[in-house]
Amino acid sequence: MEPAAAFLGLLQGKAAPRVFSAGYRPRWGLGAAVQGQRAGSRSVAVTFCAPLRPLGPRTVRGAAALVPFPSRESIKGKAKLRLKECDVGDKFSHLPLRKASVLLPLLLRDGALCLLLTVRSMQLRRSPGEVCFPGGKREEMDKDEIDTALREAKEEVGLQPEKVEVICRLVPGIDKMNHLVTPVVGFIEDTFQASPNPDEVSDVFVVPLEYFIKPLNYVAMPYKNSSGYLDWMHCFTYDDHEHKKSFKIWGLTAHFAVFLAIVVFRMKPTFEVHFDLDNLIVSAENYFLNLYASINERKKSSL
């Protein structure tokens, strides 16, 4: 039993004094008496100076508040480990498609992981007013997908490349223009203030990452994917109380956000997804490769 659980059990009168390792020291602001001597197992009996009669719910709630919450570092650390397990690197870079990249910027707000998104300027010819991640097409100066994502983020929202801790590249997607789009995941400073380029971006906002597995407003929309086959598209509506606006997040942007949330939280969403959570990477790669193969078949049939 964990020390915190044993302590709460004592307060509720449900547990006897527990034996912990000799190096253990209670961290709560209540006294504890140590009984007995160190044995070969280096254990001591610890009796908390708390009454063993049941206490009211208010007392138990107060005791529970003394149990430490995960720190910012531990939240980020766990997310980084899980993301690195899903890093595909340049595995799909050789595919003969035009290349593009997007940056999936993660940050902490009020102790929760959040994702930064943008709204495309209404002046743009393609997809004006749609929600997306900072990103764009690869240029000759870019060494790889990471360079593309960082350059575009700087141009669009003023995010300096050195202020991004790049963690991984996830399984790519294919957009409606048949670009191979690579999602690059990176942590940014929690205090980052965007400076949107008005020619490209009309708005910047953040969404709790958990929203993409436990949404309040979600529908699955039928559509024809890049290969011409009928598929289902995630569509979220997020009410941003800070900006007093609602944002519609759908398409490839929603696809990347959902996959990122599943990778980080390892939880099944409240809606259906294409991925097998017990075999996440393989199922995601197979889904992508099937899409790529069907696009190739369609190209050949049109010749």
Side-chain angles (χ1 to χ4, degrees), residues 39 167 260:
I167 307 300
L260 175 63

Side-chain angles (χ1 to χ4, degrees), residues 99 137-144 147-148 151-152:
K99 306 296 192 298
K137 292 183 289 187
R138 182 169 181 171
E139 296 186 359
E140 289 185 8
M141 68 183 77
D142 300 330
K143 293 184 297 184
D144 55 20
D147 262 15
T148 302
R151 175 183 52 77
E152 288 284 346

Side-chain angles (χ1 to χ4, degrees), residues 6 34 37 62 82 88 224 230 243 245 279:
V34 179
Q37 307 243 337
R82 290 177 173 176
V88 300
K224 279 190 177 181
L230 185 66
H243 293 82
K245 294 180 181 179
N279 207 0

Side-chain angles (χ1 to χ4, degrees), residues 160-214:
Q160 299 300 317
E162 64 272 15
K163 297 293 186 180
V164 182
E165 182 187 358
V166 174
I167 307 300
C168 69
R169 284 171 278 189
L170 296 178
V171 178
I174 300 174
D175 69 9
K176 54 191 174 185
M177 304 299 292
N178 283 348
H179 287 97
L180 179 72
V181 184
T182 300
V184 177
V185 183
F187 272 94
I188 64 175
E189 294 179 353
D190 307 341
T191 55
F192 171 68
Q193 296 293 322
S195 301
N197 177 350
D199 293 332
E200 299 189 56
V201 175
S202 64
D203 218 337
V204 179
F205 64 103
V206 297
V207 180
L209 184 60
E210 193 177 30
Y211 193 82
F212 295 105
I213 53 174
K214 296 180 180 179

Side-chain angles (χ1 to χ4, degrees), residues 19 22 34-45:
V19 177
V34 179
Q35 300 174 340
Q37 307 243 337
R38 294 188 183 183
S41 61
R42 296 183 57 77
S43 297
V44 292

Side-chain angles (χ1 to χ4, degrees), residues 72-73 75-76 106-114 188 190:
R72 297 165 68 88
E73 291 73 20
I75 293 172
K76 284 186 176 181
L106 286 170
L107 66 158
L108 273 176
R109 289 278 173 89
D110 299 324
L113 286 171
C114 294
I188 64 175
D190 307 341

